Amino acid sequence: MQAPGVSLGQLLLALDATLVRLVEAPRGLDLPVASAALIDSDDVRFGLAPAAGSADLFFLLGVSESDALAWVDHQADHRPPAAIFVKEPSQAIVERATAAGIAVVAVDTRARWERLYRLVNHVFEHHNDRALHDSGTDLFGLAQSVAERTHGMVSIEDAQSHVLAYSASNEEADELRRLSILGRAGPPEHLDWIAQWGIFDALRAKPDVVRVAERPELGLRPRLAIGIFQPAPDERRAPTFAGTIWVQQGSRPLAEDAEEVLRGAAVLAARIMARLAATPSSDAVRLQELLGLRATDEPVDVEQVARELGITADGRAALIGFDAGSPSTRIADVLSLSASAFRSDAQITSSRTRVYVLFPNTGKPGAVTSWLRGTVSALRAELGIELYAVIAAPVAGLAGAAAARTEVDRVLDSAGRHPGALGQVTSLAEARTTVLLDEIITAIASDDRLIDPRVRALRTEEPVLAETLRVYLDSFGDVAAAAQSMHVHPNTVRYRVRRVEQLLGTSLGDPDVRLLLSLSLRATA
């Protein structure tokens, strides 16, 4: 069941003027909004854009003016959304959207769409639990509370310097603050200066307030900062650095007790960050239950979950698993952006190093495969991110999602054990032989009783003969092929094979013997 949304005006206030600017709101700012979707130029051109009424807000990514006008006209003929978010909206788009009753919100050209999309969904997820107003339950509320107490502008960052929350900005925000909120890296000269003076090192060393001096020539205003530290589960270990709170001073001096306020804020921020990490949104919990990632006391009611998520339960579904090798909220955010632009009903969740994308109703499976390959290629080329991706399609409705996720994980587990054995993008069908054989070998390797001790001795005492045996068996007993593979004379292979038979006391003409030796050789490789 979808919760009632915040108003459009409340959402714009939460996003801050640094990111967005209201251009027109023909139906006012009291319209409730609770969902967002992304569309790009291909969606419009090929008729793949989300249907009218499927979302309250639409982000138009790189859509040309002519395509945007055609899309707005189509929306006007159905149920127009509350607003569209566009970078540099033309006058024609503004006029056409206004005539259709659609608000136009201009997005700063330097803003990252994935940052904006994440912030919008953050507002939607938390507006019912006082999170937009309570400094004890949400980082945005905390940032605004600290700003009011210190008389400065506050931003809260994670350990990788990604902005998690911020207070309202005004015209006194400097370039470092503006670019940080927009999701872009701060100016190199600013960051170099801060690093050169050891400020980053000091913040990571201990939870003490650090003063950052003004640099007028760089346009850098004075700041206070303090590190956020999470207590270690083991008292013998040092606390973990989790992020930073920055307070930029404007024309008004900071409060006399600003440093004391920051020390308290760092403690509160650590608690909130720990809570947010441990408590995903209700939608995320339901999706994890659907995929079998979270234990439940009762069997999952697929129909109920589908209603809560607002998706179809019996469509031609597809599930894709991505493995980045290490946990990364950035990768999850980028994949969320791409998947939601491809299909507005896409559902995304993550677990440890993996991100799962569920498309409840895909239509032609070839379109999903094409999107997947394009996404993996783009992430590699544009962001330098290397991912393994496995697609399970078609899946017979949401009832088959958990089983599909288990199969996807089997392939990703195998790819992790043997990098390069599978392509970066593969399907369950393509990977079946490789995965089954890998799991068989892994099971054998974990139990010494299943490995022929003669093979282990051969590897230790006669490694050349062991390698010859492996190649000979992999060549199906074809001496010429084995010799060519090893770059030796066929008679050399024949001699070595006879020698192996003598040492092992067996005949390689027996198919059972060949199977046992081949499995043992692979398990001891």
Side-chain angles (χ1 to χ4, degrees):
M1 181 180 299
Q2 192 178 54
V6 295
S7 71
L8 178 59
Q10 289 174 313
L11 175 66
L12 296 180
L13 284 175
L15 293 179
D16 192 75
T18 300
L19 276 172
V20 299
R21 173 179 57 86
L22 178 66
V23 180
E24 291 287 350
R27 291 187 283 166
L29 296 176
D30 292 330
L31 291 176
V33 290
S35 58
L38 304 101
I39 62 173
D40 60 21
S41 56
D42 287 342
D43 293 333
V44 177
R45 189 173 302 113
F46 300 123
L48 301 174
S54 63
D56 299 319
L57 309 174
F58 284 91
F59 297 168
L60 276 58
L61 286 65
V63 179
S64 67
E65 181 182 71
S66 59
D67 286 343
L69 291 173
W71 182 83
V72 168
D73 288 341
H74 178 73
Q75 300 296 308
D77 294 336
H78 298 80
R79 184 171 76 84
I84 57 173
F85 286 65
V86 191
K87 290 187 178 181
E88 298 182 312
S90 68
Q91 186 60 33
I93 292 175
V94 174
E95 292 175 354
R96 195 76 61 87
T98 301
I102 303 172
V104 179
V105 180
V107 179
D108 190 288
T109 56
R110 299 168 297 177
R112 290 191 181 276
W113 283 111
E114 65 265 25
R115 168 64 57 77
L116 181 59
Y117 185 74
R118 180 182 180 186
L119 290 174
V120 167
N121 279 288
H122 173 91
V123 175
F124 290 158
E125 289 175 2
H126 296 289
H127 76 275
N128 278 334
D129 62 2
R130 303 179 300 154
L132 294 180
H133 311 286
D134 191 337
S135 62
T137 61
D138 180 75
L139 292 175
F140 277 91
L142 177 63
Q144 190 60 41
S145 178
V146 174
E148 292 169 357
R149 288 282 286 104
T150 61
H151 309 154
M153 286 171 281
V154 177
S155 58
I156 302 175
E157 300 178 353
D158 64 13
Q160 290 74 43
S161 299
H162 299 142
V163 176
L164 301 174
Y166 49 83
S167 64
S169 300
N170 57 38
E171 66 280 359
E172 296 173 346
D174 62 18
E175 192 70 357
L176 177 58
R177 175 178 172 82
R178 286 195 294 270
L179 288 178
S180 297
I181 291 175
L182 290 169
R184 302 287 176 176
E189 60 270 23
H190 291 64
L191 300 181
D192 289 347
W193 182 82
I194 292 173
Q196 180 182 350
W197 281 82
I199 294 169
F200 288 136
D201 291 337
L203 289 170
R204 287 168 169 77
K206 55 184 178 179
D208 255 351
V209 175
V210 177
R211 289 187 172 269
V212 181
E214 183 177 19
R215 286 295 298 267
E217 71 278 15
L218 295 177
L220 184 67
R221 292 180 177 269
R223 278 172 167 74
L224 294 181
I226 189 169
I228 303 168
F229 289 82
Q230 295 285 2
D234 185 345
E235 294 182 356
R236 294 170 295 181
R237 300 176 61 184
T240 303
F241 175 74
T244 308
I245 302 177
W246 297 88
V247 181
Q248 184 214 304
Q249 179 179 324
S251 58
R252 182 183 182 185
L254 296 178
E256 291 183 3
D257 61 347
E259 292 192 12
E260 181 180 349
V261 172
L262 270 185
R263 292 188 184 94
V267 174
L268 282 177
R271 292 175 184 169
I272 295 171
M273 291 167 71
R275 178 183 62 81
L276 292 175
T279 310
S281 69
S282 58
D283 281 359
V285 169
R286 298 301 272 154
L287 181 58
Q288 289 173 358
E289 291 174 350
L290 184 66
L291 297 181
L293 294 168
R294 181 181 290 267
T296 59
D297 295 331
E298 301 290 338
V300 176
D301 185 335
V302 174
E303 294 289 344
Q304 177 64 25
V305 172
R307 285 193 294 271
E308 292 180 13
L309 297 178
I311 57 179
T312 181
D314 54 1
R316 188 185 179 94
L319 178 71
I320 303 169
F322 298 85
D323 198 324
S326 60
S328 173
T329 56
R330 181 192 182 203
I331 293 175
D333 289 343
V334 172
L335 288 173
S336 294
L337 179 70
S338 179
S340 299
F342 174 64
R343 296 282 305 185
S344 62
D345 58 353
Q347 305 294 312
I348 300 94
T349 190
S350 58
S351 177
R352 299 184 299 278
T353 67
R354 293 175 183 173
V355 178
Y356 302 92
V357 176
L358 173 66
F359 294 117
N361 194 16
T362 60
K364 297 180 179 179
V368 178
T369 302
S370 178
W371 168 81
L372 174 57
R373 293 188 184 280
T375 297
V376 170
S377 177
L379 290 179
R380 184 194 313 118
E382 297 174 13
L383 301 178
I385 296 173
E386 296 288 345
L387 295 173
Y388 282 111
V390 180
I391 179 171
V395 177
L398 301 186
R405 195 272 309 166
T406 299
E407 294 302 307
V408 164
D409 276 350
R410 289 175 63 190
V411 180
L412 291 174
D413 289 343
S414 182
R417 287 191 293 265
H418 304 285
L422 297 167
Q424 274 196 300
V425 176
T426 189
S427 68
L428 296 183
E430 293 169 337
R432 182 167 290 111
T433 298
T434 301
V435 171
L436 285 174
L437 182 58
D438 171 58
E439 290 178 340
I440 291 170
I441 298 304
T442 300
I444 293 173
S446 66
D447 189 342
D448 283 343
R449 297 174 303 169
L450 301 179
I451 298 175
D452 191 323
R454 297 173 299 177
V455 170
R456 199 178 292 281
L458 190 67
R459 279 203 176 278
T460 302
E461 300 167 9
E462 298 284 353
V464 173
L465 293 182
E467 179 61 14
T468 300
L469 176 60
R470 185 193 66 78
V471 174
Y472 174 77
L473 293 174
D474 286 351
S475 301
F476 303 101
D478 187 328
V479 171
Q484 184 177 12
S485 176
M486 300 183 70
H487 306 290
V488 298
H489 194 278
N491 286 341
T492 301
V493 174
R494 292 188 181 95
Y495 168 76
R496 292 177 180 176
V497 167
R498 288 196 298 269
R499 180 68 178 145
V500 166
E501 289 180 320
Q502 291 172 357
L503 289 174
L504 301 186
T506 190
S507 170
L508 296 181
D510 186 330
D512 290 343
V513 170
R514 292 198 302 270
L515 175 60
L516 175 62
L517 296 180
S518 182
L519 291 174
S520 294
L521 284 166
R522 289 173 182 267
T524 55

